[in-house]
Amino acid sequence: LFGRAVVITFSLATVVALYVLGRRVFGEAAGRAAAFLFAISPTAVYFGRAFIVDTPTVFFSVVAVFAFLVYTETNNSRWAIIGGICLALAWMVKLPAFLTFGPIMFIGLRARGFAIVRDRWFLGAVAFAVLTTTLWYWHANNLYLRTGLTVGIWRGAGTYPGVLGELAGFTSTFTGWSTRELLTSAAWWRTLFTRFWIMHLTPAGFVLTAVGCVLAVRVARASVLYVWLAA
């Protein structure tokens, strides 16, 4: 019950975060639309009540992107600190959130060009996220080796170390990393497209999303979201 309550809280907070981000990039009406569409998205509804780490990961990712965007536009160091903390939390909760590195670095380059490498607050925030994430997964891996707890990201999921593996017996394992076989599989790409088309966006939502991506080209700040989508 407590675990579900935590996830529900982050899900509701993400609705607010998307509204704030959408308002910053596109304006009030678009911010409200973004929040509404996320709130009724089948995927958001499902993951917003399941005991799973993806929901807080999405929340921290959205806030991190927003914070870095505000920092580069206002030079308020408070937003760099918030961005660094949320970026670190997003990556530590679930490593695939590292894809936010792309849009955040693009935010810096778009605002300052290569002079961003001399921005101590921006680079310090990103470096903090990288360092804390590295230390966390090093700790998690050591914990895995001693107890079998946490996800050993450098090994197949479902495996157990040492004598724990012998006691656990046969387990179904899979890798959390992309492989050449996976990326060159037509069936995998069909599955990915089908999930976007039916499960995540619904057919109507998919079409409207495509139209929205085309129309948003006219908005300068939208380039950040295009990079995020590409990542």
Side-chain angles (χ1 to χ4, degrees):
L1 179 62
F2 176 77
R4 287 182 181 272
V6 170
V7 172
I8 290 171
T9 301
F10 275 111
S11 178
L12 295 175
T14 303
V15 175
V16 178
L18 280 174
Y19 161 71
V20 174
L21 177 61
R23 183 181 62 180
R24 184 87 187 187
V25 175
F26 297 110
E28 180 72 24
R32 292 181 179 181
F36 172 73
L37 292 174
F38 178 81
I40 65 171
S41 162
T43 302
V45 171
Y46 175 80
F47 286 107
R49 58 183 174 79
F51 186 38
I52 196 168
V53 299
D54 298 68
T55 303
T57 300
V58 172
F59 169 77
F60 287 123
S61 296
V62 172
V63 176
V65 170
F66 173 78
F68 278 101
L69 184 63
V70 174
Y71 168 70
T72 57
E73 294 177 348
T74 65
N75 288 319
N76 187 332
S77 58
R78 181 185 306 171
W79 286 106
I81 294 172
I82 294 173
I85 292 173
C86 287
L87 192 63
L89 289 171
W91 293 354
M92 287 190 290
V93 172
K94 193 166 186 179
L95 192 57
F98 189 76
L99 60 85
T100 52
F101 183 81
I104 285 173
M105 292 309 298
F106 178 79
I107 287 171
L109 292 172
R110 175 178 169 274
R112 309 272 200 279
F114 288 105
I116 194 65
V117 299
R118 296 193 295 272
D119 189 318
R120 291 179 296 176
W121 282 106
F122 186 94
L123 289 188
V126 175
F128 169 80
V130 171
L131 178 61
T132 52
T133 302
T134 301
L135 291 175
W136 161 245
Y137 281 103
W138 173 78
H139 166 69
N141 186 62
N142 287 335
L143 189 64
Y144 167 83
L145 292 175
R146 293 198 306 270
T147 67
L149 300 174
T150 81
V151 177
I153 63 171
W154 308 119
R155 297 163 182 82
T159 61
Y160 296 91
V163 67
L164 290 175
E166 299 176 8
L167 296 174
F170 175 78
T171 57
S172 177
T173 64
F174 61 92
T175 177
W177 300 89
S178 297
T179 61
R180 181 178 61 82
E181 291 76 12
L182 183 68
L183 295 177
T184 56
S185 169
W188 183 80
W189 287 101
R190 284 195 300 271
T191 299
L192 190 66
F193 179 77
T194 301
R195 288 182 177 178
F196 272 104
W197 175 259
I198 298 176
M199 185 192 307
H200 297 307
L201 298 175
T202 74
F206 187 90
V207 173
L208 291 173
T209 298
V211 173
C213 286
V214 173
L215 296 178
V217 172
R218 298 172 296 178
V219 181
R221 285 176 176 155
S223 57
V224 174
L225 304 184
Y226 283 112
V227 173
W228 197 359
L229 177 61

